[in-house]
Amino acid sequence: MKKKIIALLMTTVTCLSLAACSGSSSGADSESAPAEETTDEAAESGSAKLIMATNAEFPPYEYHDNDQIVGIDAEIAEALAKEIGAEVEIEDIAFDSIIPEVTSGKADFGMAGMTVTEDRKKSVNFTDTYASAKQVIIVTEDSDIASPDDLEGKVVGVQTGTTGDIYISDELGDDAVERYAKGMEAVQALSQNKIDAVVIDNEPAKVYVSENEGLKILDTAYAEEEYAIAVALDNTELLDKLNAALKTLKDNGTIDEIVGKYIKTE
Ligand code: ARG
């Protein structure tokens, strides 16, 4: 009997993954098959499963470590799920597919170092914020770009659909933007002098600059932002549960502890 239940649950998991799979078709090459973070324990305990849509190309928030998706968001999601008696299954898709995946109900929530914006709030609800961030400018060490004002007339690389993409296209026009499926690809293009700058979140920027020679981050940030978790507008039940769990994890130091594991403050 127990075997049967497990088998049944496994089928459900597979279907969900397939559904998620066919749903992510934005053409970005980061849309590899959804990573299954499911443990057998989940199937056996029969606890509720929450599908988290992310884009695991964003260290230290979410990235691949061998066949695992790790990072601040992955660990906070795990801790949140534990609080509300659920299991998380991480689905790795293109960044600009995350909100559609949530609004269509294929994913229960989106967590991807995602900035709260007024525009996104029209499609999803955001939980309380769990991190502050900045959009920063990466340039080559010998660049003549020294502040955001110097971006005028330059070609700026961004990850498709991110706030960096939105700000630069709005302020400098579409022609000024070079879009990449992954932030790392934008940084590599900068290293090869194919573009003049990259606008991206500060923490991934630090990681990328440390991994590519001859680059630096400008002191003046492009914008200040807050990260939160996106939930479907009609799923206020999950929104409330996540907010209550977030509060617990903030109050008991779990969030700080997780962040401290990945971000070392000098
Ligand atoms: N914070 C930015 C935004 O919300 C970039 C997030 C990119 N996240 C990712 N996992 N690739 O648009």
Side-chain angles (χ1 to χ4, degrees), residues 17 94 127 134 141 167 203 235 259:
S17 309
T127 60
K134 288 178 194 152
E141 264 161 10
Y167 300 149
E203 291 302 334
N235 198 352
V259 171

Side-chain angles (χ1 to χ4, degrees), residues 176-196:
V177 182
E178 202 61 58
R179 298 188 175 87
Y180 297 87
K182 306 175 184 183
M184 185 60 166
E185 290 170 358
V187 174
Q188 279 161 351
L190 175 64
S191 283
Q192 297 159 10
N193 287 308
K194 290 181 182 158
I195 54 175
D196 302 309

Side-chain angles (χ1 to χ4, degrees), residues 55 58 62 95 112-115 120 159 162-163 201 225 227:
N55 170 248
F58 199 67
E62 46 266 328
F95 181 75
M114 189 180 283
T115 305
R120 288 174 181 164
Q159 185 184 18
T162 59
T163 46
D201 305 53
E225 335 191 287
Y227 292 164

Side-chain angles (χ1 to χ4, degrees), residues 7-242:
L8 218 100
L9 279 166
M10 297 286 261
T11 327
T12 323
V13 172
T14 320
C15 294
L16 284 170
S17 309
L18 285 175
C21 212
S22 60
S24 55
S25 56
S26 81
D29 60 3
S30 56
E31 49 156 350
S32 45
E36 303 250 345
E37 288 276 284
T38 323
T39 53
D40 291 344
E41 217 178 281
E44 270 170 42
S45 69
S47 61
K49 185 182 306 292
L50 293 174
I51 299 180
M52 158 175 161
T54 196
N55 170 248
E57 301 295 342
F58 199 67
Y61 286 92
E62 46 266 328
Y63 57 99
H64 292 268
D65 183 13
N66 296 315
D67 55 353
Q68 284 266 96
I69 291 173
V70 297
I72 295 171
D73 287 342
E75 289 205 23
I76 293 180
E78 197 74 29
L80 286 170
K82 207 170 159 199
E83 272 308 305
I84 61 185
E87 296 284 335
V88 200
E89 180 181 321
I90 299 184
E91 187 195 308
D92 181 21
I93 58 177
F95 181 75
D96 58 346
S97 298
I98 297 175
I99 290 186
E101 200 78 355
V102 170
T103 55
S104 69
K106 285 180 190 149
D108 297 292
F109 63 93
M111 189 170 187
M114 189 180 283
T115 305
V116 179
T117 72
E118 288 310 311
D119 208 46
R120 288 174 181 164
K121 276 193 201 165
K122 292 176 195 155
S123 338
V124 288
N125 275 327
F126 281 103
T127 60
D128 297 332
T129 62
Y130 63 89
S132 303
K134 288 178 194 152
Q135 290 297 309
V136 296
I137 303 168
I138 309 176
V139 293
T140 51
E141 264 161 10
D142 58 2
S143 177
D144 58 353
I145 302 172
S147 82
D149 296 337
D150 300 333
L151 289 178
E152 193 78 53
K154 303 287 187 185
V155 178
V156 183
V158 297
Q159 185 184 18
T160 309
T162 59
T163 46
D165 183 1
I166 298 162
Y167 300 149
I168 297 297
S169 340
D170 280 359
E171 279 172 47
L172 301 177
D174 246 10
D175 288 348
V177 182
E178 202 61 58
R179 298 188 175 87
Y180 297 87
K182 306 175 184 183
M184 185 60 166
E185 290 170 358
V187 174
Q188 279 161 351
L190 175 64
S191 283
Q192 297 159 10
N193 287 308
K194 290 181 182 158
I195 54 175
D196 302 309
V198 170
V199 170
I200 197 162
D201 305 53
N202 55 328
E203 291 302 334
K206 284 193 225 161
V207 176
Y208 295 147
V209 165
S210 74
E211 288 171 352
N212 290 270
E213 256 168 55
L215 302 180
K216 63 176 182 191
I217 300 172
L218 295 186
D219 290 337
T220 320
Y222 197 82
E224 309 275 339
E225 335 191 287
E226 298 281 346
Y227 292 164
I229 304 169
V231 182
L233 288 174
D234 57 8
N235 198 352
T236 48
E237 189 186 332
L238 181 61
L239 185 75
D240 293 345
K241 281 187 188 166
L242 287 174

